[in-house]
Amino acid sequence: MRRPIAVQADPFDIESIQPRLNIIRETFGRFLDSISIKTTLSKHGLMGSVGKILSEIRSGRSDAASLKGYALRVQEQSGSQLSTASIKDLESGIEDLVELFTGVPLAFRDQLIDRLDYGLYFDLRKKNLERKEAIIKQWHSFLLNRYAEIEKLNSAWKENHESLGDVMIQKKATGSRSKDATPKQVDVFEFWESVGKGNETLVIEEE
Amino acid sequence: MIASFDRTSIIANALSWMRARGWHRLLAKRSHFEQSLLEHSLLELDALLELLPTLGLPNHYDFSQQEQEILCVAVLVHDTGKEAPAWQAYVQGKGKKVGHIDLDLTLSVVPEVCAALNLNVNHQHVHELIARCAEFHHNRPARSDGDILAAMFGGATERFQCLAHVVKGIDHLCSASTAADAVRVVRRDAALSNHIKVALHQTKVRGISTVLLHAAAREAFSNHGWKPLLYFKDSTVYVRPAEESEALPPQIQIEQSLRSKIENLLSKDVVGLIIGSPQANILPKPDLVKFEETRSYLRQAANRIGSQSFAKKAMEKRRDVVQKYWVLIGKQTYPSDEEVNSESMNISVAQPEMIVLKAFKALITLCCTSNSAESLAIQLYEQSFGSGSWKHLKSTSTLMPSRDMAELIDPYWILPGTTFGFPAVSRLKQLSEQQRVSALIERLTEIVQGVCTAHGVLSPRTELADKMSSCFVQDLIEPNDASNWQEIAALQEEHYSASKLSAGGLSLKAQYLCPICNQSFSGLSGTKASADFVDKPKSHTNRATSLGSFDSIVICHSCYYEKLLMQLACGEKPQEVIYVIPQLNLGPRHGELLVEKVRAWASAAQLQLSGEGDSSHAFYLNVIQTPARKILDKDPLFLTEAELVSLFMNRISADKQKDRQKKIVVALKEEFDDDLSEVNARSGLTFSSWEEAAVTVLDKSVNLQEFALIRREIFRSANLHLVCETPNLILVPLAREISGVNDESEISKALRKLFIALALGLAFNARVAIKKEGDGLEHGPSAGCAYVAPLPALRALIEAEWIPIPDALMWLRAIGSASLLSRDTKFPERNALFQVLSAAPAEWIVRRIEQASDSGTVTMKQIELIEQLPNFTRRETGGKRL
């Protein structure tokens, strides 16, 4: 006689893995912060090699070692140098993700990757916008310190702005400190000098 | 001698202190009901202030001024320990059970509260006494000795025990979940029962009649010397000094008071409600008829249809009618196109007269209460319209142009002019359309009034207030002269089993169970439901369909009168109703504050809707982006009255303003017969153009009745009414459904309503439900701030029938943010609100906006809005919703 086998399983709650997912999101976020990004305009550009890893995992590749190799190769091809800490973050993120991914029921795997993918992208985009806003603020306070009043700026630049807040930030390439440079070009050059390296990409691309 | 407190300022100060502490978002009670810590503490303070003038008397507790102040502070801080996060988690079912007694915390807030209430209580030992009084309320008998000893060692007076018992008594009274429980608590507690008497009135919750019944009962109790102490949705607890008589007002007095309130409503102009649809029931509300107003009803009937409407129909349809008409008058030929056009013109012009005759037929039937009255009606009618005309009149039914033309209009049109006082024409057909309609109305009015006068027929409306009040007073559960609940239950059971056979039609001998309110009744006390009262009356229930033919459901008289009363109060049939009810219960002063707040909001809205408000803004409840923008960074409870009023005001665009101006010009020309000099003469000004006059109408600089009427007509959008008498239950009926685009999905509409309910619920500190008129309030207990419509996807998203108080602000911001994001995401408009709100993960919306926008970018403002969505994964809370 056959014996019936009774199985009582609690339904899987995707919220239960969210804390672990958050740790992975932070690890990948830290990794992406530490590498230089060519463009902030596209999702592809912002997510860098992490985006590619997520695509691979989504399509069924769940071998941590091969994913790590693949990610490093992508980074090499993009020409960026990775520090030891960055590599550690990348490795740890991949290992944790593969472990988590293989542990959840099949029906929830896409949701898991979506949460990580869009969650991470949201963080990066937000950070990018915050930096952009901070630089624009710096630009306006730079102009305020230099000119104090809009009339003075209009007269120096030979332009007609209503207020200092209206003056759009200029690309670094438009700045100059040559002999023939206009006051505007000098201002732009000196502003970017004061801001320092690394920050200009995100602003200029979107202006 | 008891020094009197300034109750209003104490309550206002207590409110400010509690709001600043965030008690409106914390729970004090949660079982089958919910009450915020602010509401609960305020209720106790309010009840205490109501009772102090009695309790403090020399023949009762003889409280000194300082003792009264101690009591005020003690009841206000008695549940301070409940603000602890651990207790809040416990009460919401998210944490382990923990106690809420925290003496140190209570002690720390007492000086703050004394200062906030401007009370002159500065001594440390008094503060300690207050804290101990506050703590005592939760102690079980065996443990209270410790508090008493501690208080005594701390320098407390021998009065401590007395004060502590009063605080405890007030807490238990105000914590009762029903009025009946509150009454029981007082009667069992010697600290209160030796000093005060309590009574209650309780009623079934039906709707507008309940609002009036609450007011009538309060009035009757007040006339008997009782004062309201606690307002519940379905009941009110009253109080009076113990030495006074405990006589309750007899039911008849409540009924009388109710009747006078109904009579007030009936004295309104109801002509617009009398005439129904010519295609269905021309007189759907015969109970509202007053025969003296027959002329107005018939005029209304004449205006129900245009004299060109039939002529505009397609040729095929007209040919069909004309052919039938020709058969009836004995013509056997096929009409040519030209003949169809010519006959169509006649039928079209005759249609207002047809409707007038239909309305007359219904009115005279109502009027003929005896055979002799009917004989007189026949005699008078046939005197005017010829022999046999009565039979033709009675044989017609709903509007049937071919038959009505042949049997009613043709015989009328061929009458000689002299019969109706027009000797200049040989036949009435030669009169102008207007003259003929007027002559018909006059003659029919004379017939109706002649029959009424000769036979002393009373108008149905004269008896209506009596009938309604005697029906509604049966909803009183307490005081009830004849309440044998076992008998009532047995009768209900009997009717339930017997009513299946007759549920689909009206039979005088049958037994029924009202499908709306479950009341048992016989066919004599029932009414066949029409579409005028009940949505889809023929498909309202699936009962009895297997037991025979099904016509329309039969409802009890109370439900019929309830629907009638609602239309009377609004002057139209409302589509939806906003219900405002207490979270659990309200004290007397706070209850008045709620009433004042709702009245102020509704009056401002009505002023705006009548065109007498700010002409640069319009009041729309269906546009939630504007309130969302205004409210997102605020807590609605902190809104000033002006801010609350302006929450739903939208600035009118320049194009819309121009459009309005054009409409005003058209209306002015119509009103003043295209004569600008007439406008100048009436206004005493010299306008050089119609546009100039229109500007004056818009900016209200000239006070002229015609201008005000034009403004009302042009500004008119969805009307909003107010039925507000007591704090128990407040209704705001809406003329139109709250909806965005025309084909908006049910779920998006429900979200709009939920947003409004949340905003009002938080601002009024009350529970708010927006429901379709006729759906009514649920009878059972329910807990939360705003009602969630019963749509499976919405309930699955929100996971509640009512949004709990602690979650209310989160959902308000979530729906508001979704509404602000919906345009940027470019989802189909009909469902955009829900799609944004339910996006999982919410972070995906960033990509959606980037892909949908021309620039391909997202802004910081949009990022902040996305962070408010319910499925946004918050790392600081472990991914769970805030």
Side-chain angles (χ1 to χ4, degrees):
Chain A
M1 189 182 150
R2 287 184 182 179
R3 280 189 186 170
I5 301 169
V7 178
Q8 189 179 4
D10 285 336
F12 178 74
D13 177 14
I14 189 136
E15 297 303 333
S16 65
I17 58 160
Q18 191 61 44
R20 285 179 70 190
L21 207 52
N22 288 340
I23 294 170
I24 299 169
R25 186 165 149 181
E26 274 163 26
T27 313
F28 279 140
R30 226 170 22 243
F31 164 72
L32 289 169
D33 272 347
S34 68
I35 59 169
S36 63
I37 289 167
K38 281 186 180 170
T39 174
T40 60
L41 276 179
S42 63
K43 180 170 182 256
H44 178 80
L46 259 184
M47 297 282 282
S49 53
V50 176
K52 290 187 179 283
I53 296 166
L54 295 179
S55 299
E56 288 298 310
I57 294 182
R58 198 192 287 272
S59 61
R61 188 166 169 183
S62 54
D63 169 22
S66 86
L67 281 168
K68 282 184 217 168
Y70 173 71
L72 287 172
R73 184 69 194 129
V74 171
Q75 283 303 135
E76 276 173 14
Q77 280 174 334
S78 69
S80 61
Q81 295 291 314
L82 295 180
S83 66
T84 322
S86 305
I87 294 174
K88 206 176 157 192
D89 279 334
L90 183 64
E91 283 185 325
S92 141
I94 292 171
E95 279 164 13
D96 288 350
L97 178 58
V98 168
E99 191 189 330
L100 185 63
F101 185 78
T102 46
V104 303
L106 277 173
F108 290 90
R109 288 182 177 175
D110 269 355
Q111 273 191 53
L112 183 150
I113 297 295
D114 276 351
R115 282 188 177 210
L116 184 60
D117 189 6
Y118 292 114
L120 185 58
Y121 179 60
F122 179 89
D123 290 347
L124 297 170
R125 183 57 75 208
K126 185 180 174 186
K127 218 177 278 178
N128 188 250
L129 284 168
E130 280 169 348
R131 273 150 67 184
K132 179 183 165 185
E133 286 200 346
I135 288 183
I136 290 171
K137 218 170 172 182
Q138 266 178 277
W139 164 246
H140 289 139
S141 70
F142 172 84
L143 294 178
L144 188 70
N145 284 339
R146 182 151 292 193
Y147 294 103
E149 288 161 8
I150 189 65
E151 291 76 18
K152 288 181 185 167
L153 179 139
N154 282 339
S155 136
W157 284 19
K158 297 191 174 69
E159 286 181 7
N160 191 18
H161 297 281
E162 280 191 8
S163 72
L164 285 171
D166 288 343
V167 185
M168 301 273 276
I169 194 162
Q170 306 294 309
K171 285 183 183 179
K172 188 177 180 182
T174 63
S176 165
R177 60 174 170 191
S178 67
K179 279 183 186 173
D180 306 330
T182 63
K184 183 177 178 178
Q185 286 173 313
V186 174
D187 288 341
V188 172
F189 183 86
E190 288 179 4
F191 168 72
W192 284 113
E193 283 287 292
S194 71
V195 167
K197 265 195 164 184
N199 280 322
E200 64 273 31
T201 333
L202 54 109
V203 176
I204 292 162
E205 277 185 340
E206 293 185 13
E207 288 304 324
Chain B
M1 182 69 187
I2 308 162
S4 62
F5 282 105
D6 178 358
R7 283 171 66 175
T8 312
S9 80
I10 285 196
I11 285 181
N13 292 336
L15 253 174
S16 308
W17 181 79
M18 289 188 285
R19 275 179 199 161
R21 232 176 148 81
W23 280 13
H24 54 296
R25 286 200 296 269
L26 302 177
L27 285 181
K29 304 271 172 198
R30 186 169 194 254
S31 56
H32 55 273
F33 60 88
E34 255 182 11
Q35 196 173 34
S36 69
L37 190 50
L38 180 146
E39 276 295 310
H40 178 64
S41 309
L42 194 66
L43 168 73
E44 295 204 7
L45 178 63
D46 202 0
L48 175 75
L49 289 170
E50 181 66 37
L51 293 177
L52 270 181
T54 302
L55 298 180
L57 287 170
N59 57 335
H60 290 285
Y61 283 110
D62 194 17
F63 288 134
S64 67
Q65 175 71 19
Q66 192 185 52
E67 284 172 336
Q68 294 187 46
E69 291 175 355
I70 287 171
L71 285 171
C72 286
V73 180
V75 293
L76 195 61
V77 301
H78 78 283
D79 270 345
T80 305
K82 288 184 175 175
E83 69 176 24
W87 194 86
Q88 285 299 313
Y90 152 66
V91 78
Q92 289 175 54
K94 297 173 186 168
K96 285 180 190 166
K97 183 171 182 175
V98 287
H100 73 267
I101 298 300
D102 186 342
L103 188 61
D104 292 338
L105 180 64
T106 312
L107 261 171
S108 70
V109 299
V110 167
E112 251 182 64
V113 175
C114 292
L117 300 190
N118 293 324
L119 298 179
N120 194 20
V121 186
N122 300 319
H123 302 292
Q124 174 67 27
H125 77 273
V126 181
H127 289 169
E128 214 165 292
L129 181 67
I130 293 172
R132 295 231 175 250
C133 275
E135 299 312 297
F136 182 80
H137 81 280
H138 194 59
N139 285 335
R140 287 192 286 272
R143 292 190 192 167
S144 56
D145 298 344
D147 262 306
I148 295 167
L149 283 172
M152 285 164 72
F153 290 132
T157 65
E158 69 281 2
R159 297 277 282 171
F160 167 76
Q161 202 170 351
C162 152
L163 294 173
H165 275 106
V166 170
V167 174
K168 189 176 181 175
I170 297 279
D171 179 52
H172 290 184
L173 161 68
C174 295
S175 299
S177 61
T178 64
D181 280 349
V183 168
R184 267 193 291 274
V185 163
V186 172
R187 287 178 183 160
R188 282 179 194 163
D189 187 348
L192 295 176
S193 63
N194 289 338
H195 308 276
I196 54 168
K197 282 199 173 92
V198 282
L200 82 150
H201 92 252
Q202 191 181 0
T203 171
K204 282 183 205 166
V205 179
R206 193 180 283 283
I208 185 168
S209 61
T210 316
V211 175
L212 299 183
L213 192 53
H214 277 311
R218 187 175 70 174
E219 199 174 286
F221 271 83
S222 298
N223 291 342
H224 265 65
W226 293 94
K227 283 183 179 173
L229 181 70
L230 300 177
Y231 292 104
F232 289 82
K233 177 178 79 177
D234 62 344
S235 46
T236 303
V237 175
Y238 300 91
V239 65
R240 72 192 312 175
E243 58 274 19
E244 290 183 8
S245 143
E246 60 183 346
L248 299 179
Q251 203 170 304
I252 187 75
Q253 279 187 14
I254 300 177
E255 193 178 332
Q256 277 165 0
S257 171
L258 181 62
R259 186 185 308 122
S260 76
K261 289 180 191 310
I262 294 172
E263 273 164 0
N264 273 347
L265 282 180
L266 288 172
S267 62
K268 281 183 169 183
D269 179 14
V270 298
V271 173
L273 293 173
I274 301 290
I275 301 299
S277 159
Q279 273 82 25
N281 188 353
I282 192 77
L283 206 64
K285 293 171 271 279
D287 286 306
L288 286 184
V289 168
K290 205 171 183 179
F291 293 120
E292 292 85 337
E293 295 172 349
T294 303
R295 188 174 289 106
S296 312
Y297 303 156
L298 297 181
R299 279 191 193 137
Q300 184 88 15
N303 292 331
R304 230 347 97 105
I305 199 159
S307 58
Q308 294 302 313
S309 71
F310 181 74
K312 286 177 190 164
K313 288 188 189 287
M315 171 58 96
E316 280 316 299
K317 281 191 177 169
R318 284 188 288 131
R319 178 182 298 283
D320 189 39
V321 172
V322 170
Q323 249 181 301
K324 282 181 187 163
Y325 168 56
W326 276 20
V327 170
L328 285 167
I329 59 171
K331 276 192 182 181
Q332 298 300 327
T333 51
Y334 183 80
S336 67
D337 283 1
E338 211 172 289
E339 284 166 330
V340 169
N341 284 336
S342 156
E343 293 287 11
S344 298
M345 275 314 294
N346 282 339
I347 293 173
S348 200
V349 166
Q351 278 198 321
E353 289 155 81
M354 293 177 196
I355 310 293
V356 168
L357 284 159
K358 304 255 166 257
F360 167 75
K361 182 189 155 193
L363 286 167
I364 199 77
T365 308
L366 204 60
C367 190
C368 293
T369 49
S370 62
N371 288 342
S372 55
E374 191 174 1
S375 305
L376 179 63
I378 296 170
Q379 186 195 334
L380 292 173
Y381 188 78
E382 293 200 339
Q383 262 173 18
S384 297
F385 296 92
S387 168
S389 57
W390 178 262
K391 199 178 154 195
H392 282 142
L393 176 77
K394 293 295 268 186
S395 70
T396 58
S397 176
T398 51
L399 185 66
M400 285 184 281
S402 52
R403 193 167 169 191
D404 292 342
M405 193 68 195
E407 294 184 357
L408 298 177
I409 302 301
D410 281 348
Y412 171 52
W413 281 7
I414 56 161
L415 289 172
T418 47
T419 38
F420 278 73
F422 294 99
V425 294
S426 59
R427 295 275 179 259
L428 288 176
K429 191 179 180 183
Q430 291 160 333
L431 289 173
S432 73
E433 182 199 331
Q434 238 178 0
Q435 279 176 316
R436 215 172 39 234
V437 172
S438 299
L440 181 66
I441 289 174
E442 283 310 311
R443 184 56 55 90
L444 297 175
T445 305
E446 281 166 22
I447 296 172
V448 171
Q449 287 175 354
V451 174
C452 287
T453 315
H455 289 270
V457 181
L458 281 178
S459 298
R461 207 194 309 167
T462 48
E463 295 170 330
L464 190 57
D466 272 341
K467 286 182 184 171
M468 281 184 167
S469 54
S470 65
C471 256
F472 292 141
V473 86
Q474 287 169 24
D475 286 346
L476 265 185
I477 297 167
E478 186 76 39
N480 190 320
D481 296 344
S483 53
N484 183 338
W485 300 110
Q486 279 180 332
E487 269 177 29
I488 293 171
L491 193 70
Q492 264 183 337
E493 196 183 355
E494 185 193 322
H495 277 240
Y496 179 75
S497 53
S499 63
K500 289 185 179 179
L501 284 169
S502 49
L506 185 61
S507 158
L508 295 183
K509 287 179 186 170
Q511 289 177 313
Y512 293 94
L513 196 69
C514 180
I516 299 176
C517 72
N518 281 348
Q519 192 171 301
S520 47
F521 62 97
S522 71
L524 283 170
S525 337
T527 305
K528 194 171 121 180
S530 72
D532 193 56
F533 304 119
V534 178
D535 206 14
K536 298 179 186 160
K538 291 177 197 289
S539 59
H540 190 77
T541 173
N542 58 3
R543 289 189 70 211
T545 45
S546 60
L547 296 161
S549 64
F550 195 93
D551 180 16
S552 290
I553 55 153
V554 180
I555 59 175
C556 69
H557 272 162
S558 301
C559 284
Y560 165 64
Y561 289 144
E562 166 72 25
K563 309 271 172 190
L564 205 58
L565 204 56
M566 181 61 106
Q567 293 193 20
L568 267 172
C570 304
E572 61 190 330
K573 188 183 174 189
Q575 298 296 313
E576 286 182 335
V577 180
I578 302 178
Y579 296 90
V580 181
I581 44 181
Q583 282 179 3
L584 169 64
N585 48 16
L586 286 170
R589 181 68 198 125
H590 194 39
E592 277 168 37
L593 286 176
L594 174 68
V595 167
E596 283 167 21
K597 225 171 173 181
V598 178
R599 276 194 181 138
W601 177 76
S603 312
Q606 283 166 339
L607 186 77
Q608 196 64 30
L609 290 167
S610 68
E612 296 306 307
D614 173 5
S615 58
S616 63
H617 285 76
F619 182 90
Y620 295 122
L621 271 181
N622 56 344
V623 180
I624 62 168
Q625 278 93 346
T626 312
R629 216 167 279 129
K630 290 177 188 171
I631 217 173
L632 272 186
D633 53 349
K634 287 182 185 160
D635 189 331
L637 189 63
F638 290 86
L639 292 178
T640 62
E641 274 194 10
E643 282 174 327
L644 183 58
V645 165
S646 68
L647 202 56
F648 298 96
M649 299 282 199
N650 291 266
R651 181 169 284 283
I652 294 171
S653 66
D655 288 348
K656 178 95 181 166
Q657 201 72 292
K658 273 184 197 166
D659 186 43
R660 275 184 170 183
Q661 204 168 320
K662 276 182 198 166
K663 284 182 183 167
I664 291 174
V665 168
V666 173
L668 277 171
K669 285 182 177 173
E670 203 174 296
E671 181 68 33
F672 294 96
D673 292 333
D674 227 344
D675 185 358
L676 192 60
S677 61
E678 186 68 22
V679 185
N680 290 340
R682 282 285 292 130
S683 62
L685 297 168
T686 45
F687 296 115
S688 55
S689 68
W690 287 103
E691 285 69 25
E692 209 180 298
V695 171
T696 329
V697 174
L698 264 178
D699 64 21
K700 299 185 284 291
S701 54
V702 175
N703 188 14
L704 205 63
Q705 201 189 348
E706 290 90 334
F707 284 13
L709 286 172
I710 290 173
R711 261 198 308 273
R712 189 169 303 171
E713 207 45 49
I714 304 294
F715 281 63
R716 220 164 108 95
S717 48
N719 269 345
L720 173 149
H721 308 276
L722 178 68
V723 186
C724 177
E725 297 273 344
T726 66
N728 306 78
L729 175 64
I730 300 171
L731 309 186
V732 184
L734 305 171
R736 284 194 218 147
E737 188 189 19
I738 296 169
S739 145
V741 287
N742 281 341
D743 64 340
E744 190 170 45
S745 65
E746 286 302 314
I747 203 159
S748 289
K749 282 190 223 170
L751 282 169
R752 272 176 209 283
K753 289 171 209 169
L754 184 58
F755 178 84
I756 296 162
L758 281 165
L760 295 179
L762 287 166
F764 296 146
N765 219 10
R767 303 172 66 208
V768 175
I770 303 180
K771 291 185 162 191
K772 208 171 167 187
E773 198 278 320
D775 281 0
L777 273 174
E778 78 286 354
H779 297 287
S782 52
C785 172
Y787 175 72
V788 183
L791 300 169
L794 188 59
R795 289 269 171 96
L797 176 70
I798 292 174
E799 297 170 0
E801 194 180 331
W802 284 79
I803 291 189
I805 295 168
D807 297 347
L809 195 58
M810 184 282 274
W811 279 107
L812 177 82
R813 289 180 176 158
I815 302 171
S817 301
S819 77
L820 294 173
L821 287 166
S822 57
R823 201 168 293 171
D824 305 330
T825 52
K826 295 197 177 150
F827 282 123
E829 240 182 303
R830 70 182 302 271
N831 212 26
L833 194 53
F834 179 66
Q835 277 185 282
V836 175
L837 195 70
S838 59
E843 290 93 328
W844 168 70
I845 295 292
V846 172
R847 276 308 281 156
R848 174 76 197 188
I849 293 173
E850 286 175 347
Q851 284 163 343
S853 71
D854 294 336
S855 63
T857 57
V858 64
T859 65
M860 197 60 200
K861 184 72 204 163
Q862 288 163 331
I863 292 272
E864 284 164 8
L865 292 173
I866 291 167
E867 286 177 333
Q868 302 291 336
L869 296 178
N871 290 326
F872 180 75
T873 40
R874 294 177 192 280
R875 275 176 286 175
E876 63 272 29
T877 56
K880 291 203 174 133
R881 286 173 185 168
L882 276 180

